[in-house]
Structures are given as structure tokens and as C-alpha cells.
Amino acid sequence: MANDTLFDKILRKEIPSEAVYEDEHVYAFADINPQAPVHVLVIPKARNESFADLKDADAAETGRFMQGVSRVAEHLGLEENGYRVVFNTGRDALQSVQYLHAHILGGRKLKWPPG
Ligand code: AMP
């Protein structure tokens, strides 16, 4: 299948992942190489390759994805202390999987600016 990425396979449960949240619109799972005590990836069930695609994407689907990211952060208990949402986009940002995904990072004081 064209553009069949690791995250397509994770979403289809062909590759195992540690699920932390799932609803009609999003699937969230633990990052295999965590950069913070809490490091979760959230992917939309409506496929896009990267954040750059969202300018042309369906606005309602995009909104539901963003609401899903917010909901996952709440589900993880991160609202009180805060957290960071990261969309690595393209080569300079080291995006390694060409399937739109939000990183949610939390559980410690994060540094700014990031590297
Ligand atoms: P990015 O560099 O923004 O494309 O992020 C891809 C993320 O996917 C990295 O943080 C990886 O650690 C993570 N990752 C790669 N393979 C897996 C996997 N099988 N399960 C969970 N996370 C993964």
C-alpha cells in the first residue's frame, strides 16, 4: 500500500503498541523512546502525512484531532502541571514517520528553547 507507514500499521494493530487512549477520531500510544516521564503520540484516524497538510484538510476533522490531543493530555493527568505538544514537520524538524502525529510530553519541567 502506498504511504503505508509504521503508524498506519500501528493503527491497524498489525504492529503492537501500548495504547493509552482511543476514540472514534484518534489513537494515542506510548512513544517507544520516551523523552520525558510521559511521552505519548496521538494520531488521527483520518490520515494526513504531516502538520503541513492540515492547511488543506477538512476543518471539522482537524478540529476533532486537536480536541483529541487535548483530551489525551487530560486523560494522562497533565492538565494541572502542564505539558508540551510537538508536531515535528519535515526534514529540518527530523520528522521520521510520515503520518501526522502529535507528541505530548510532560511529567517533568521541560526546557525551552528545545534543541
Ligand atoms: P517523529 O520523529 O516526530 O517523526 O516521531 C516519531 C516517533 O515515533 C519517535 O519519537 C519514535 O520514538 C516513535 N516510535 C518509533 N517507532 C515506534 C513504535 N513502534 N512505537 C511507538 N513509538 C515509536
Side-chain angles (χ1 to χ4, degrees):
M1 195 189 298
N3 299 325
D4 198 23
T5 69
L6 175 64
F7 292 172
D8 289 273
K9 292 177 183 136
I10 282 179
L11 188 56
R12 295 199 302 266
K13 318 281 192 217
E14 292 168 13
I15 289 179
S17 61
E18 190 189 324
V20 300
Y21 179 92
E22 182 164 18
D23 67 20
E24 206 184 328
H25 305 291
V26 301
Y27 178 60
F29 54 100
D31 195 293
I32 207 168
N33 182 23
Q35 302 300 313
V38 180
H39 186 173
V40 164
L41 301 172
V42 188
I43 61 176
K45 291 191 173 176
R47 193 182 196 294
N48 280 289
E49 283 196 13
S50 84
F51 193 80
D53 289 349
L54 292 184
K55 60 185 176 295
D56 301 316
D58 181 80
E61 283 291 354
T62 301
R64 283 192 280 269
F65 172 54
M66 295 303 278
Q67 285 183 322
V69 176
S70 178
R71 222 164 259 145
V72 172
E74 178 193 41
H75 180 74
L76 292 166
L78 294 173
E79 285 196 338
E80 188 178 342
N81 287 343
Y83 57 92
R84 185 171 292 159
V85 178
V86 173
F87 290 94
N88 291 327
T89 305
R91 204 171 41 232
D92 277 359
L94 306 180
Q95 180 178 358
S96 61
V97 181
Q98 307 311 309
Y99 188 119
L100 175 63
H101 53 282
H103 296 252
I104 298 178
L105 297 143
R108 67 167 166 83
K109 187 96 174 169
L110 299 166
K111 293 187 173 62
W112 190 261

